[in-house]
């Protein structure tokens, strides 16, 4: 069900908020054994909120914009009184004393929390396999990964276990799982959405954004969570346009840039390439113009990211020292041993790898050679985009070089896992808004995603073009059958 439909039905009395929430709880009950998208389901709270909404309806009070919309939240967003674990043993018992700004805005708009979703530990990964609490499966084929790190949110939306979900995207963690699970995922402009209450991974890259089954729903959620927040010093103080009202604009005359370097990737599957080109051609048939553009530094994104992100992570994760909060190893003889043992036991191996890489890159004598160099390349990547936007209005690429891979495929090969984000990382480095939406299926019936990237704060254009494509292509109407996708 879409948000507009739900609003209509609640208003018309065809369904009650309680019935709706009960439906989603039932769905969770029937598929979670296979999927494990949720770490915790907040059933009691959800039903209590549904009753409040039904009471408002009975009293004829006006309903807030997202009244009754069942939402799942990635478990790296703080929810007051509800465990927020980041899928890490380190935060296994952490119950935040405060609410993140994005979730606070959702609840104020009437949305209902259904539960907290699984992720790669501390959002480091591309498959949701590094969670300390077990992996999530892909609803299109449970032997495949859902992507990551927001794999739980993407899978929950795809499997009909909620209407929409929140994720976070540092290098692709919303867009890549969206593409693997056949849903829409949006990473906003850096600073558009508050990071207050998002457990920090790499603070200069992290952004929160929505997952939904169509573009209009993603636009509704984004509208509610966007906007200035004095609690986040990097939050942009600019008004938020009504993303929903521009969805129906025509794409006539729109200049779409196809980034040459993306389509020339060695690891790009031919099925993905064909499907994404078909999507571009459809937009052309709607009146857009296709142009080839070059971003010569695009391929340096991975190397740049894997210096900057671990460096920032090593600083951010220094707070987990076994003293203030989080996991503490018992029985150590002194403070140094306690800290060291807490961190060795509390963090999984991927998180430890990132901390080691980042600490090394920032250590005396190496800062200039690695961190500073990476920042310089980051500037060059941003300039490539700026130049591209001199001649086009929006950029189009595949979201991921492949469709969902088999569970365990990259488990012992971090580098091949890192390459899964080759096409999504540059937008994070440049701070640009980008989204992924379904554009087709491969021979095994797995979804393929197309990525759109627009200029800073141009989320409206991004959503508008995506919506126009979605309406014309009807990808989901022609989807292959999958047991766990309603
Ligand atoms: N997969 C990338 C990483 O492992 C991106 C993660 C993210 O966006 N949170 O760092």
């Amino acid at each position: 069900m879409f948000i507009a439909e739900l609003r209509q039905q609640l208003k018309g009395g065809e369904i009650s908020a309680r019935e709706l929430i009960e439906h989603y709880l039932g769905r969770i009950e029937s598929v979670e054994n296979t999927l494990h998208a949720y770490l915790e389901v907040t059933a009691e709270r959800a039903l209590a909120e549904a009753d409040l909404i039904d009471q408002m309806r009975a009293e004829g009070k006006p309903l807030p914009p997202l009244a009754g919309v069942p939402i799942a939240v990635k478990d790296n967003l703080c929810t007051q009184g509800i465990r927020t674990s980041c899928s890490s043993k380190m935060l296994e018992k952490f119950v935040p004393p405060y609410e993140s700004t994005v979730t606070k805005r959702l609840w104020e708009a009437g949305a209902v929390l259904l539960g907290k979703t699984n992720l790669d530990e501390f959002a480091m990964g591309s498959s949701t396999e590094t969670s300390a609490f077990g992996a999530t499966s892909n609803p299109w084929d449970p032997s495949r990964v859902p992507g990551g790190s927001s794999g739980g949110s993407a899978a929950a939306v795809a499997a009909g276990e909620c209407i929409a979900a929140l994720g976070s995207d540092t290098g692709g963690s919303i867009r890549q799982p969206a593409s693997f699970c056949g849903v829409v995922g949006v990473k906003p402009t850096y600073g558009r959405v508050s990071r207050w209450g998002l457990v920090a991974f790499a603070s200069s890259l992290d952004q929160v954004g929505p997952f939904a089954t169509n573009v209009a729903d993603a636009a509704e959620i984004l509208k509610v969570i966007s906007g200035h927040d004095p609690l986040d010093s990097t939050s942009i103080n600019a008004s938020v346009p009504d993303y929903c009202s521009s969805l129906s604009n025509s794409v006539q005359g729109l200049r779409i840039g196809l980034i040459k370097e993306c389509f020339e990737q060695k690891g790009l599957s031919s099925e993905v390439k064909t499907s994404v080109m078909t999507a571009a051609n459809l937009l052309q048939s709607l009146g857009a113009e296709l142009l080839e553009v070059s971003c010569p530094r695009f391929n340096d994104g991975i190397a740049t990211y894997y210096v900057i992100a671990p460096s920032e992570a090593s600083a951010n994760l220094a707070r987990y020292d076994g003293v203030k909060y989080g996991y503490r190893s018992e029985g150590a003889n002194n403070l140094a041993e306690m800290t060291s043992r807490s961190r060795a036991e509390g963090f999984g191996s991927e998180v430890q790898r990132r901390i080691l890489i980042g600490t090394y890159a920032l250590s005396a004598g190496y800062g200039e050679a690695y961190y500073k160099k990476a920042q310089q390349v980051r500037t060059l990547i941003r300039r490539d985009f700026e130049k591209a936007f001199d001649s086009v209005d929006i950029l189009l690429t595949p979201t991921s070089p492949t469709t969902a891979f088999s569970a365990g495929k990259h488990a012992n090969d971090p580098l091949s896992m890192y390459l899964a984000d080759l096409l999504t990382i540059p937008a994070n480095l440049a701070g640009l808004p980008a989204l992924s939406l379904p554009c087709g299926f491969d021979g095994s019936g797995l979804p393929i995603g197309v990525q759109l990237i627009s200029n800073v704060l141009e989320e409206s254009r991004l959503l508008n073009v995506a919506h126009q494509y979605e309406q014309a292509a009807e990808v989901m109407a022609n989807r292959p059958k999958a047991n766990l996708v309603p």
Side-chain angles (χ1 to χ4, degrees), residues 77-128:
L77 282 160
C78 287
T79 39
Q80 190 172 5
I82 296 166
R83 186 181 81 144
T84 299
S85 71
C86 284
S87 289
S88 180
K89 191 174 168 191
M90 187 56 93
L91 290 178
E92 190 170 7
K93 299 197 173 81
F94 176 59
V95 178
Y98 68 103
E99 189 77 21
S100 77
T101 296
V102 281
T103 49
K104 189 161 170 262
R105 288 185 179 172
L106 284 178
W107 317 144
E108 281 167 5
V112 175
L113 174 69
L114 274 187
K116 304 294 295 286
T117 55
N118 202 8
L119 61 147
D120 282 296
E121 186 178 1
F122 279 99
M124 298 173 188
S126 308
S127 64
T128 316

Side-chain angles (χ1 to χ4, degrees), residues 396-437:
L396 185 150
T397 78
T399 305
S400 167
T402 65
T403 52
F405 45 84
S406 298
K409 184 169 182 215
H410 300 307
N412 300 315
D413 183 0
L415 202 57
S416 69
M417 183 75 88
Y418 296 171
L419 288 171
D421 299 309
L422 186 77
L423 302 168
T424 47
I425 279 175
N428 297 80
L429 291 168
L432 298 170
L435 66 69
S436 177
L437 85 159

Side-chain angles (χ1 to χ4, degrees), residues 123-126 149 169-173 201 305-306 354 421:
M124 298 173 188
S126 308
S149 62
D169 190 312
T170 305
S173 279
F201 163 12
Y305 174 89
Y306 276 99
R354 307 272 179 124
D421 299 309

